[in-house]
Amino acid sequence: MNAPATETRKFEAEVAQVLHLVTHSLYSHKEIFLRELVSNASDACDKLRFESIAHPELSAGDSELHIDVSWDPEARTVTVRDNGIGMSRDEVVANIGTIASSGTRRFLEAMSGEQKADARLIGQFGVGFYSAFVVADKVTVLSRRADAPAGEGVKWESDGKGEYSLEQVELAERGTSVILHLKADEDEFLKRWQLRSLITRYSDHVAFPIRMPTEKDDKPTGEWETINAASALWTKPKSEISDEDYQSFYKSLGHDFNDALAWTHNRVEGSQSFTTLLYLPSQPPFDLMMGARDERKGLKLYIKRVFIMDAAEELLPNYLRFVRGVVDADDLPLNVSREILQHNRQLDRIKAACVKRVLDLIEKLARDEPEKFATFYKAFGNTLKEGISEDANNRERIAKLLRFASTKGEGTAQNVSLDDYIGRMAIGQDAIWYITADSYKAAAGSPQLEAFKAKDIEVLLMSDRIDEWMIGSLSEYEGKKLKSVAKGEVPLDEADKKKQEEAAKEAEPLLKKLKELLGDRVGEVKVSARLTDSPSCLALSDYEMAPHLARLLREAGQDMPESKPTLEINPAHALVKRVEAESDEAKAKDLATLLLEQAEIAAGAQLPDPAAFVQRMNRVLLG
């Protein structure tokens, strides 16, 4: 049977865009291509080692896995070769001709939008291979799967400008070779010392030998030399690992240019033995809030130093998905599958230990390194808040780590903890008061705060989108109830209660008039204990959803039941007095409706008819 002829295909449109962006934005980090190609080669060796457990024949005759980096000054090529699992024709197309990441389109939009192209995004979307085109004007890939005959090798070649060719070739050995044909001005990568220094800097802790040809008098000797440590960093005693070693390993593990913010390295011995090395990044991965929930690759699971799988889902809960690192277990079976992991009691214990280590690390930052903690919280605070709902066992620990803006804080800064708040509570105060809104200004300027400011009661200002959802699972902290200033009754002493009752009785005719003028648009009209300066505000029942969140959910396409708000008024305000005195029903209705609509706007609700609101406002202004 004849092998198929060379086939030319176009890249997916998104790949073409990625190639263009990568080649035009990585010039200041162009050496990263070597780290990415070595990392891919290491993954291929890991996969073969794992598959060989069940199928030893796959590595027969060549069981010493390694990665070779060589160069040819005359041909102007650099080659990265591994004897790992290799790829079939279909896998080559899937891995190189397309990009399957769910976040790719958003990645492209961000890279080509106002945001300056950021090299740290490369690799987090499976686009690391394409960094080869930063230094090469042609890339050739030769690959053969370990279970395929020699005649089913694949040759892939492209200049990175929109097309690639595919050809079936004879390859005597399994594995993959990536051959970079360097651009005219990239001579530095044809020098042994430069390639070696890059491997030492970026890939020293790859767990497979990385070999280079030795030289004598600037000529190759035909022998190979291992130039990396080739040992799993996490297996070494902590006393033998420098901070620089930890950071170097993190960068190769997390595809990150930045240093890790902090890390924790632990060995557990006993009835169950395992090692964890867990890192907190200093900046969020681009896809943290997007595809990352579905396809998390933050933690790698090893069993006795053998890479098994990316298993973030099984090793850490969703709200800690920003953590990077490795877990190496001694007691799990090597043939473990994802299905087995989901029902494995040993893994449950490892997961609990990982969660504890991460929370311990964050607490240590909060206690001992406030600047680092502030960096962490800015990057991951909202993700951490998901744990309030997702992790009931650790809810109190997570709540202790949360920070908010406050009426007694420093402007927009989110640096007030629940413990700070409790420490400042007045004698007799029994609740932690908060307000949710869709921006800091909307929260800080809400009329619902007026009575609390007048009584000098601190209120937490929660303006992140997740806050209203999170607070539904955080009903109390350290024995103190969390209460919204917009919901239920305002705390009043006996004198204030009496004053409130008298005001309500005196305003009964006005309340009746407003209810008749507003009809079905309100459920009830009441005299407010919340207001001192504003004419009106909305009040919610204890279990009612905040209007700004209801609006967001409707915009997201969710059906939300229509609720009739309670309108609270300040009878002493001139605008309310004007409604009371107005005898013309049409004018009175305009004024009453404006009282309601300004209260809705302040609460973040969506006006049912903005055009009618504008016309009504104009009529009132013109008299």
Side-chain angles (χ1 to χ4, degrees):
M1 178 178 164
N2 293 328
T6 303
E7 178 186 358
T8 301
R9 296 188 180 191
K10 284 193 181 298
F11 283 115
E12 262 190 354
E14 290 179 347
V15 175
Q17 287 175 273
V18 167
L19 277 167
H20 176 80
L21 287 165
V22 167
T23 54
H24 288 83
S25 60
L26 276 188
Y27 54 87
S28 59
H29 295 283
K30 56 190 176 184
E31 75 276 6
I32 205 65
F33 79 90
L34 194 56
R35 182 191 79 181
E36 294 299 324
L37 296 180
V38 168
S39 178
N40 290 347
S42 173
D43 287 347
C45 291
D46 267 329
K47 285 172 184 170
L48 180 63
R49 184 162 66 173
F50 178 52
E51 289 196 20
S52 295
I53 295 165
H55 305 283
E57 68 278 7
L58 291 177
S59 56
D62 186 13
S63 58
E64 295 298 318
L65 297 170
H66 54 81
I67 300 161
D68 293 344
V69 177
S70 57
W71 69 101
D72 184 335
E74 291 182 13
R76 297 187 53 75
T77 60
V78 171
T79 300
V80 178
R81 163 156 180 77
D82 67 75
N83 60 344
I85 193 69
M87 293 181 283
S88 67
R89 185 187 185 93
D90 288 345
E91 286 170 331
V92 167
V93 172
N95 292 337
I96 303 179
T98 62
I99 296 179
S101 169
S102 58
T104 303
R105 187 165 296 283
R106 293 184 184 88
F107 163 76
L108 289 167
E109 288 167 0
M111 290 275 280
S112 54
E114 290 180 9
Q115 177 181 325
K116 187 175 181 293
D118 189 341
R120 73 186 171 84
L121 307 184
I122 307 301
Q124 294 172 357
F125 284 81
V127 297
F129 167 80
Y130 304 111
S131 61
F133 288 99
V134 177
V135 296
D137 50 24
K138 184 171 76 170
V139 177
T140 305
V141 178
L142 300 170
S143 192
R144 196 197 98 202
R145 257 196 80 87
D147 54 3
E152 290 185 15
V154 185
K155 180 181 180 183
W156 179 99
E157 197 164 72
S158 177
D159 61 5
K161 291 178 181 165
E163 293 184 337
Y164 61 91
S165 65
L166 274 174
E167 184 181 353
Q168 188 166 315
V169 293
E170 183 97 10
L171 291 177
E173 297 175 321
R174 66 156 197 269
T176 301
S177 299
V178 181
I179 305 158
L180 281 65
H181 306 265
L182 297 183
K183 294 175 182 176
D185 54 351
E186 303 297 350
D187 289 2
E188 63 181 298
F189 300 114
L190 291 170
K191 297 181 174 65
R192 185 181 197 273
W193 67 268
Q194 171 71 336
L195 293 171
R196 178 171 183 153
S197 71
L198 291 176
I199 290 167
T200 302
R201 187 191 316 167
Y202 290 122
S203 308
D204 195 46
H205 297 293
V206 167
F208 299 98
I210 302 173
R211 311 188 311 180
M212 291 183 76
T214 56
E215 281 186 332
K216 191 170 184 181
D217 301 324
D218 289 334
K219 291 182 180 175
T221 63
E223 296 180 355
W224 293 86
E225 173 192 15
T226 297
I227 55 166
N228 67 320
S231 64
L233 177 84
W234 62 89
T235 62
K236 295 181 178 179
K238 285 193 274 189
S239 58
E240 294 178 17
I241 310 174
S242 67
D243 285 359
E244 191 179 341
D245 291 334
Y246 277 119
Q247 293 287 16
S248 172
F249 180 67
Y250 165 74
K251 287 172 182 174
S252 66
L253 180 80
H255 296 282
D256 201 342
F257 285 97
N258 304 296
D259 282 348
L261 192 65
W263 59 87
T264 176
H265 183 189
N266 301 95
R267 172 75 184 161
V268 175
E269 301 278 5
S271 60
Q272 188 175 359
S273 300
F274 58 92
T275 301
T276 59
L277 174 52
L278 307 170
Y279 290 92
L280 297 180
S282 56
Q283 296 184 45
F286 182 77
D287 56 350
L288 181 72
M289 301 306 290
M290 295 181 257
R293 283 191 72 91
D294 306 318
E295 165 179 11
R296 293 182 291 134
K297 301 192 184 311
L299 287 188
K300 294 179 180 291
L301 174 64
Y302 288 76
I303 297 175
K304 297 172 185 156
R305 267 67 65 206
V306 176
F307 174 70
I308 303 299
M309 65 181 80
D310 291 303
E313 295 90 340
E314 285 76 27
L315 294 166
L316 277 176
N318 249 321
Y319 73 93
L320 296 177
R321 60 186 177 274
F322 48 80
V323 175
R324 300 288 177 262
V326 297
V327 173
D328 192 344
D330 292 352
D331 310 311
L332 292 170
L334 282 168
N335 63 347
V336 71
S337 68
R338 206 168 282 283
E339 290 69 35
I340 291 172
L341 285 180
Q342 288 168 355
H343 307 287
N344 188 287
R345 294 176 103 181
Q346 285 176 286
L347 204 81
D348 288 342
R349 285 193 284 272
I350 294 174
K351 182 175 182 176
C354 287
V355 173
K356 182 182 182 304
R357 296 295 182 197
V358 173
L359 294 178
D360 285 348
L361 182 58
I362 300 171
E363 286 171 352
K364 186 172 183 296
L365 286 185
R367 185 177 62 248
D368 302 335
E369 300 184 78
E371 285 186 13
K372 279 191 176 182
F373 179 76
T375 300
F376 162 80
Y377 197 78
K378 185 178 179 184
F380 304 112
N382 277 355
T383 318
L384 190 66
K385 286 175 184 175
E386 295 173 19
I388 295 291
S389 175
E390 291 178 7
D391 188 355
N393 291 336
N394 288 297
R395 186 172 292 150
E396 195 90 356
R397 288 190 76 182
I398 299 165
K400 191 177 280 288
L401 294 167
L402 301 185
R403 300 290 184 269
F404 305 98
S406 157
T407 53
K408 292 191 178 179
E410 302 162 18
T412 60
Q414 294 187 358
N415 56 10
V416 176
S417 70
L418 295 175
D419 288 331
D420 293 334
Y421 183 102
I422 290 172
R424 292 198 285 257
M425 282 170 63
I427 295 170
Q429 184 182 337
D430 60 356
I432 298 170
W433 291 97
Y434 69 89
I435 185 169
T436 60
D438 55 5
S439 71
Y440 168 80
K441 285 187 175 178
S446 172
Q448 293 157 335
L449 293 178
E450 291 173 0
F452 290 85
K453 287 180 179 175
K455 293 174 183 292
D456 197 33
I457 297 174
E458 183 172 9
V459 178
L460 299 176
L461 307 173
M462 301 186 182
S463 56
D464 292 319
R465 286 191 170 187
I466 193 173
D467 287 337
E468 177 77 21
W469 174 79
M470 172 204 73
I471 211 75
S473 300
L474 188 62
S475 57
E476 68 173 64
Y477 175 77
E478 295 286 350
K480 306 287 184 185
K481 295 279 186 190
L482 273 82
K483 291 185 178 180
S484 168
V485 300
K487 295 181 179 181
E489 298 298 326
V490 176
L492 298 172
D493 58 28
E494 287 305 317
D496 284 338
K497 272 184 190 171
K498 193 172 180 188
K499 200 171 165 186
Q500 175 76 5
E501 286 166 6
E502 287 170 359
K505 191 165 186 181
E506 193 177 323
E508 277 178 4
L510 171 60
L511 299 177
K512 187 179 177 187
K513 181 178 181 178
L514 284 168
K515 180 68 178 89
E516 286 170 357
L517 289 168
L518 294 170
D520 287 342
R521 283 193 64 176
V522 293
E524 192 179 356
V525 183
K526 295 167 63 177
V527 172
S528 181
R530 291 175 172 81
L531 300 173
T532 57
D533 302 318
S534 300
S536 61
C537 71
L538 294 188
L540 308 174
S541 69
D542 285 333
Y543 303 104
E544 203 170 342
M545 185 179 293
H548 71 275
L549 182 62
R551 189 194 76 233
L552 290 172
L553 292 172
R554 280 194 199 96
E555 288 170 359
Q558 293 197 32
D559 288 331
M560 298 301 299
E562 290 295 332
S563 63
K564 292 181 182 179
T566 294
L567 179 67
E568 290 193 350
I569 60 159
N570 175 5
H573 195 279
L575 187 56
V576 178
K577 286 183 178 296
R578 193 172 156 193
V579 180
E580 190 174 19
E582 183 60 68
S583 56
D584 183 312
E585 188 170 344
K587 288 182 178 179
K589 184 158 188 170
D590 275 349
L591 288 165
T593 307
L594 283 175
L595 281 177
L596 172 62
E597 289 177 332
Q598 63 175 267
E600 288 175 332
I601 291 170
Q606 195 164 17
L607 294 181
D609 189 347
F613 165 74
V614 172
Q615 291 164 3
R616 192 161 24 253
M617 179 68 79
N618 291 341
R619 285 197 299 271
V620 169
L621 289 172
L622 291 169

